[in-house]
């Protein structure tokens, strides 16, 4: 589908259009570029990978898009294009990593999906990246590949490139991932690099045609309900799901390294030998092992549990970080791409109200105020999910497994209405969140009041100046 911004009217257009420079051309950078163009701002994106093709190749594996992000992309006019590259999740199963024992299932009820809005979608990471690139460029964003940012001058709001050129903007956005150069300038240190490694994350793809020809694997690929599979084990976990577009099967592994060496660096942009991944998996059930043996393109990153970043906005009020540069989620988290798109939607909503330069710092700081609690809650939830999935053998793990077995034996789903009310409310809060609605609420409750107060203050100043002028003329 060709994206045409004119066929999908944007929100309120900014009264003052300014220049945004976005460092990083991944999901966060491209979604931010598209969102800001939709409200009328000028946008340049800098991506260090050498070409569109190499950038797409580096965007590896599968990605899960929860309802809180799919609803935003639908609102932006991308529903048809997104559906063309994805499949909609209808169910999930949880099994033991070591044995394949089925611990529980859940089928998403249609009324629940309607209640939280959006859909739970699975696609190739590269397909989503290309969709956003196409939408952003057609909306008027300039995207430059093969451009590495060497340094950032926060006070003068400019970046120096590997080409020797210098670019300046009204606002610089760091969308350059967890090892963000912009983040380091704001925080004054390398927050991610200095954190210890918790485990390794492998992201790979298994060809669907191979699975359909294998009697052991075909049941994972062909299901009445489109299913996500989760394997939970001792210091190890895996997730598998079918992805749209090429009818492949995405496979994610989180493992404690059993051998030294692989923790030396992250490798999103280069193929890892699948044999390395196999050596790290430990003892796993036969289907998982067979899936891993059929894996093709594989990426590896370190998983770190990092404390929240204190400041997302530089003290000058013109530079900020979004996405993984701001929210240090464990690699492979379902909300990784979702928080980035939420950030983009909120930032654009705020800057759709821009009328004067003195609002810029206010809006950037409001962005952090608006997003901080939500993102801290999501990061905490994702860290807890990872610990739940990789829980080591012991009393707590036995209690977890026994509770799921009992629910399954009773014929109850993992998250059906019979589950504890608190648990279900957490799911609705997580997936039903509407980032754009939250930004609108802030503007109505606080933004307009501030602007009216400033306007009233200006009027009073003008009245006082007029009176002093009149008095001076009479003297």
């Amino acid at each position: 589908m060709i994206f045409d911004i004119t066929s999908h009217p944007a929100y309120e257009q900014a009264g003052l259009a300014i220049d945004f420079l976005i460092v990083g051309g991944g999901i966060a950078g491209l979604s931010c570029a598209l969102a800001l163009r939709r409200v009328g701002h000028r946008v340049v994106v800098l991506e260090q990978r050498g070409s569109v093709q190499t950038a797409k190749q580096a965007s590896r594996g599968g990605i899960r898009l929860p309802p809180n992000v799919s609803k935003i992309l639908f609102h932006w006019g991308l529903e048809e294009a997104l559906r063309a590259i994805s499949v909609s999740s209808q169910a999930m199963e949880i099994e033991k990593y070591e044995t394949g024992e089925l611990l529980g299932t859940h089928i998403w009820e249609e009324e629940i999906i309607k209640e939280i809005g959006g859909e739970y979608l699975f696609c190739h990471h590269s397909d989503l990246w290309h969709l956003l690139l196409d939408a952003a460029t057609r909306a008027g964003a300039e995207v430059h590949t093969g451009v590495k940012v060497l340094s950032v001058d926060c006070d003068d709001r400019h970046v120096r490139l590997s080409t020797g050129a210098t670019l300046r903007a009204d606002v610089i956005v760091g969308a350059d991932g967890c090892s963000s150069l912009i983040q380091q300038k704001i925080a004054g240190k390398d927050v991610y690099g200095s954190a210890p490694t918790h485990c390794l994350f492998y992201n790979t793809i298994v060809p669907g045609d191979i699975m359909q020809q294998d009697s052991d694997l075909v049941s994972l690929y062909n299901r009445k309900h489109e299913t996500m599979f989760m394997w939970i084990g001792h210091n190890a976990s895996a997730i598998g799901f079918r992805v749209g577009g090429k009818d492949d099967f995405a496979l994610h592994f989180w493992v404690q390294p059993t051998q030294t060496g692989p923790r030396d660096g992250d490798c999103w942009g280069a193929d890892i030998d699948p044999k390395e991944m196999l050596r790290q998996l430990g003892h796993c059930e036969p289907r998982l092992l067979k899936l891993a043996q059929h894996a093709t393109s594989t990426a590896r990153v370190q998983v770190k549990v990092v404390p929240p970043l204190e400041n997302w906005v530089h003290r000058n009020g013109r530079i900020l970080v979004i996405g993984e540069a701001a929210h240090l989620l464990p690699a492979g988290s379902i909300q990784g791409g979702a928080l980035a798109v939420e950030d983009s939607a909120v930032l654009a909503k705020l800057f759709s109200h821009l009328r004067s330069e003195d609002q810029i710092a206010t809006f950037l700081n409001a962005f952090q105020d608006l997003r901080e609690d939500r993102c801290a809650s999501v990061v905490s939830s994702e860290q807890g999910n990872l610990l739940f999935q990789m829980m080591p053998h012991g009393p707590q793990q036995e209690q977890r497994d026994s509770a799921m077995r009992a629910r399954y034996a009773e014929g109850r789903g993992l998250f059906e209405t019979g589950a504890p009310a608190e648990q279900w409310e957490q799911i609705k809060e997580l997936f039903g969140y509407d980032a754009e609605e939250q930004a609108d609420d802030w503007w109505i409750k606080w933004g307009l009041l501030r602007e009216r107060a400033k306007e009233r203050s200006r009027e009073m100043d003008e009245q006082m100046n007029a009176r002093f002028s009149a008095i001076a003329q009479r003297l």
Side-chain angles (χ1 to χ4, degrees):
M1 175 189 176
I2 295 177
F3 178 81
D4 180 3
I5 193 171
T6 61
S7 66
H8 301 283
Y11 307 107
E12 179 180 351
Q13 296 288 292
L16 173 66
I18 62 173
D19 294 305
F20 282 83
L21 184 62
I22 301 174
V23 179
I27 302 300
L30 294 176
S31 63
C32 186
L34 173 58
L36 290 169
R37 281 298 302 142
R38 285 175 53 78
V39 297
H41 293 292
R42 298 179 294 273
V43 182
V44 173
V45 179
L46 304 177
E47 169 55 46
Q48 67 176 343
R49 296 183 181 94
S51 68
V52 169
Q53 187 60 33
T54 55
K56 184 176 180 180
Q57 288 173 349
S59 182
R60 296 176 185 276
I63 185 170
R64 296 170 287 161
L65 301 178
N68 50 297
V69 65
S70 65
K71 73 176 70 175
I72 295 174
L73 298 176
F74 289 174
H75 291 169
W76 289 355
L78 298 174
E79 180 172 358
E80 183 181 345
L82 191 56
R83 290 191 185 281
I85 63 169
S86 64
V87 295
S88 181
S89 173
Q90 299 169 315
M92 71 175 296
E93 290 187 2
I94 296 183
E95 284 128 340
K96 288 290 287 182
Y97 183 89
E98 293 84 1
T99 65
E101 176 196 357
L102 179 60
L103 294 175
T105 66
H106 189 83
I107 297 174
W108 298 108
E109 300 173 17
E110 187 175 346
E111 57 268 28
I112 298 301
I113 296 297
K114 288 181 179 179
E115 182 179 350
I116 61 180
E119 291 186 35
Y120 198 166
L121 303 176
F122 302 146
C123 65
H124 283 272
H125 197 285
S126 60
D127 288 343
L128 177 63
W129 182 87
H130 199 274
L131 184 154
L132 290 172
L133 173 66
D134 180 68
T137 53
R138 289 181 181 277
E142 295 182 33
V143 180
H144 301 280
T145 59
V147 179
K148 184 176 177 60
V149 175
L150 298 181
S151 63
V152 181
D153 187 322
C154 295
D155 295 321
D156 191 46
R157 304 194 307 276
H158 76 252
V159 299
R160 184 169 63 84
L161 309 180
S162 55
T163 60
T166 298
L167 297 180
R168 193 175 187 277
D170 297 301
V171 176
I172 297 176
V173 180
D176 45 345
C178 50
S179 298
S180 165
L181 175 63
I182 310 297
Q183 174 207 98
Q184 292 175 35
K185 296 293 289 187
I186 293 174
K189 59 182 179 179
D190 183 356
V191 178
Y192 178 81
S194 60
T197 299
H198 174 71
C199 63
L200 297 177
F201 171 66
Y202 289 93
N203 190 357
T204 189
I205 289 289
V206 180
D209 56 350
I210 291 178
M211 293 182 65
Q212 293 183 79
Q213 296 168 16
D214 190 305
S215 59
D216 295 327
L217 302 180
V218 66
S219 62
L220 295 175
Y221 191 84
N222 293 326
R223 286 293 176 104
K224 177 181 178 181
H225 301 285
E226 201 66 60
T227 302
M228 182 189 80
F229 302 90
M230 176 186 291
W231 289 268
I232 58 177
H234 174 74
N235 291 330
S237 179
I239 282 178
F241 50 93
R242 198 168 70 86
V243 290
K246 299 176 184 176
D247 293 329
D248 289 330
F249 193 82
L251 192 59
H252 296 170
F253 282 103
W254 293 263
V255 294
Q256 292 286 348
T258 58
Q259 298 180 359
T260 58
R263 66 169 66 230
D264 294 340
D266 294 347
C267 298
W268 277 129
D271 267 332
I272 295 299
D273 185 349
K275 292 180 181 178
E276 176 202 302
M277 181 178 70
L278 283 168
R279 291 193 296 269
Q280 298 290 343
L281 298 187
H283 176 67
C284 61
E285 66 129 316
R287 293 177 303 168
L288 262 182
L289 181 60
K290 185 174 284 191
L291 284 170
Q293 289 170 340
H294 290 308
T296 55
S297 177
T298 302
R300 179 200 69 224
V301 293
Q302 300 171 83
V303 179
K304 299 187 175 188
V305 177
V306 185
L309 195 64
E310 183 176 352
N311 296 309
W312 306 355
V313 180
H314 190 267
R315 63 180 182 276
N316 70 2
R318 294 296 189 96
I319 297 174
L320 80 157
V321 286
I322 66 169
E324 291 186 339
H327 329 302
L328 301 171
L329 289 147
S333 297
I334 183 176
Q335 293 287 344
L339 286 190
V341 178
E342 283 186 5
D343 285 349
S344 303
V346 169
L347 189 66
K349 275 283 190 176
L350 293 175
F351 275 84
S352 70
H353 303 292
L354 190 68
R355 300 292 180 270
S356 62
E357 284 198 17
D358 62 5
Q359 293 176 298
I360 294 176
T362 299
F363 286 169
L364 292 187
N365 286 296
F367 169 78
Q368 179 169 350
D369 291 342
L370 257 171
R371 298 290 294 147
E372 198 161 24
D373 288 347
R374 159 69 176 175
C375 294
S377 174
V378 171
V379 171
S380 176
S381 174
E382 293 286 5
Q383 291 173 344
N385 289 342
L386 184 62
L387 296 176
F388 174 87
Q389 294 169 214
M390 302 181 66
M391 193 178 294
H393 293 324
Q396 191 174 8
Q397 164 264 322
E398 291 174 1
Q399 182 180 9
R400 176 201 67 188
D401 295 355
S402 296
M404 284 192 285
R405 287 188 186 104
R407 184 177 295 277
Y408 181 60
E410 294 168 1
R412 291 193 291 161
L414 293 166
F415 307 113
E416 68 181 25
T417 52
E422 181 182 353
Q423 184 182 29
W424 179 239
E425 286 303 315
Q426 289 175 349
I427 293 173
K428 288 198 295 185
E429 181 180 351
L430 190 64
F431 289 163
Y433 182 86
D434 192 318
E436 294 176 321
E437 187 178 275
Q438 294 298 313
D440 286 337
D441 285 347
W442 179 89
W443 176 249
I444 293 170
K445 293 176 181 177
W446 302 104
L448 280 174
L449 290 177
R450 292 182 184 184
E451 293 308 307
R452 288 168 181 165
K454 285 165 59 178
E455 183 62 29
R456 180 57 181 159
S457 177
R458 282 193 293 266
E459 290 175 354
M460 292 178 64
D461 287 343
E462 290 173 0
Q463 291 173 3
M464 292 297 294
N465 290 335
R467 290 176 184 173
F468 287 142
S469 179
I471 293 172
Q473 290 176 3
R474 289 198 298 267
L475 294 178

